[in-house]
Structure formats: structure tokens, C-alpha cells
Amino acid sequence: HISGYTGYRAAPDTTELNYRRYLAIFEASSAFDNLAVRFSSSADRKKYLGTTRSPYWYIVSILEFEMSSSSNSYALVAESEYTSYDNESEIYLSTHFFRGGIRYRHRMGNLSSFYIEPRVARMFCKTSKEERYIEGSIVLGIDLFENKWFWLTASYEPGYRDYLLDGNPIYSDFTINRISVIGSIHMSHSFSLDLFLSHEPEKHSRREDDFSISLISLELKKGF
């Protein structure tokens, strides 16, 4: 599958925010007996017409090899996020984020399962040593889709991010605890309650850098 898009943004208040956008997407998958291979990549180009913001490329790629049986599956997952600015500065830095993981999934039914995925990630940056880090984490997740009255997907990801520059003046190492919950309850034939929860507290080696971001959304829907 190959697709392409183009667009233009105009900001009446300031021409510095005007840009042309070009987006290309490539997706491919194949299966050989119990082995499945999936690859996707998107290249996003934003070209600002002013001089305040630098034009850039943002390229995201995911490669996955999955071997499965009737009740279990094992997957090798590699992800890449590459950002390249035409004119680098202290604000606009070109970076390359890479993450690899091994996922084990056990099926509990036709559509429900739980999984565990150890991950290792690395941030590369040629022009700034402060941005470089290594991150290790493990994802524990569950997907429940068997019951017609509700569905739920949830995950918990503990880990640690280590910035490679000793005495980093901008960033400090921190402990990761990412929690994500998405679900829906069908209260009747016409009403449903949707939930989205995200919580990411960061416990830093410098206490003053401690940070936490949380988002919760509840939505009541009625069908006609």
C-alpha cells in the first residue's frame, strides 16, 4: 500500500506559520505459515514559508516479525523516529530515536490476550550531547474483547531513562511508570461509556525535575 498527500496551511495573523506539507505512507505485510512480517513507514515534510521556523523531515518506520501458534505468539519489533531540520539551532535539533523490543503474547480467547514486552531505546543527536539517552523498560498489557458489553485494553510500563552526558545541565535521569487504559462499557442498547486514562509520573535523580502528566477522559454516548 502506497499513498501520498499534500496540503497547505495559511495563518492569517502571521505568515511565519504558513507551510506546505507533503506526506508519503508505505505499508506492506506478508505471511509464511506461522510467520508474519509487517512494515510501515511515513515521511512527513513541512516547509515553512517564513524564516522563524526551520523546514524539516519527520520519518517514522516500524518493522515487526511475529511467529504465532494457536495460543501464543512471539514478536520482534523495531521502531525508528527520525527528525531532520534544514537549519539546525539550539531549538531545532535533528534527532534519531530507535527502539527495539521482544513481545510475548498469550491468547485467552479468540480476541483477548495478555502480553509482556521488554524494550530498549536509544536517542541519537549529533549536535547536542544533552539530548542523548538510553532507556530500558518492560510493558505489561492486557486486551479484553470477548464480552459484548465491554472491552478494555490496558498497559503498565516501568523502566528507567539514563542520559549519557555526566552532569547534564538540562536533563536528569528518571524512573518511568507509564499507565494507559482505554475501554468502553455498553450500559444498554443505546448508551455506552468510554474511558481513556493516561498517567506518566517521572521520579528524577534531581528532585526538582520531578514531573507528572495525567489525562483522563470520560464520554457518555447515546445511539439513535
Side-chain angles (χ1 to χ4, degrees):
H1 171 77
I2 300 176
S3 58
Y5 307 88
T6 185
Y8 175 76
R9 175 184 175 180
D13 295 336
T14 171
T15 58
E16 293 296 317
L17 298 180
N18 295 352
Y19 64 75
R20 293 188 178 93
R21 185 182 184 188
Y22 309 94
L23 176 63
I25 300 174
F26 174 78
E27 296 176 326
S29 62
S30 185
F32 312 92
D33 295 329
N34 61 341
L35 176 64
V37 181
R38 291 178 285 269
F39 176 75
S40 65
S41 184
S42 64
D44 193 352
R45 170 67 172 174
K46 284 186 179 179
K47 188 174 182 180
Y48 287 92
L49 304 184
T51 58
T52 303
R53 296 193 177 189
S54 170
Y56 68 91
W57 284 96
Y58 179 60
I59 302 173
V60 179
S61 301
I62 301 175
L63 177 63
E64 181 176 333
F65 297 91
E66 184 177 33
M67 183 173 292
S68 59
S69 64
S70 58
S71 58
N72 302 306
S73 68
Y74 302 86
L76 177 64
V77 184
E79 304 173 49
S80 170
E81 294 184 22
Y82 179 65
T83 305
S84 178
Y85 289 94
D86 293 10
N87 306 305
E88 290 196 62
S89 65
E90 294 181 356
I91 299 176
Y92 302 111
L93 298 171
S94 296
T95 59
H96 189 188
F97 174 78
F98 179 82
R99 179 167 59 202
I102 300 175
R103 182 175 64 240
Y104 166 73
R105 183 183 296 273
H106 177 73
R107 295 183 180 87
M108 300 181 294
N110 292 330
L111 300 174
S112 297
S113 63
F114 70 84
Y115 63 92
I116 179 171
E117 182 180 341
R119 292 174 167 180
V120 177
R122 177 76 182 269
M123 175 66 82
F124 298 90
C125 183
K126 291 182 179 180
T127 56
S128 176
K129 295 181 179 179
E130 288 83 0
E131 300 291 330
R132 304 169 189 170
Y133 64 78
I134 295 177
E135 180 179 295
S137 64
I138 183 168
V139 184
L140 308 172
I142 187 169
D143 298 319
L144 300 175
F145 294 99
E146 300 294 329
N147 194 304
K148 67 179 182 178
W149 295 108
F150 81 93
W151 62 266
L152 175 72
T153 177
S155 67
Y156 169 56
E157 182 180 6
Y160 191 78
R161 179 177 295 184
D162 178 24
Y163 284 91
L164 302 180
L165 179 64
D166 293 333
N168 193 320
I170 302 177
Y171 306 106
S172 60
D173 304 342
F174 64 88
T175 300
I176 300 166
N177 284 285
R178 300 185 179 116
I179 299 172
S180 176
V181 179
I182 304 174
S184 180
I185 300 174
H186 299 281
M187 304 170 65
S188 68
H189 293 292
S190 58
F191 284 96
S192 65
L193 182 66
D194 296 341
L195 166 68
F196 173 77
L197 169 66
S198 177
H199 181 51
E200 296 189 24
E202 298 177 3
K203 185 72 173 180
H204 284 255
S205 57
R206 287 198 300 254
R207 183 175 298 179
E208 60 269 24
D209 292 342
D210 286 355
F211 179 78
S212 179
I213 182 170
S214 301
L215 176 64
I216 184 169
S217 173
L218 284 173
E219 184 177 9
L220 181 64
K221 293 182 179 180
K222 177 176 174 56
F224 295 93

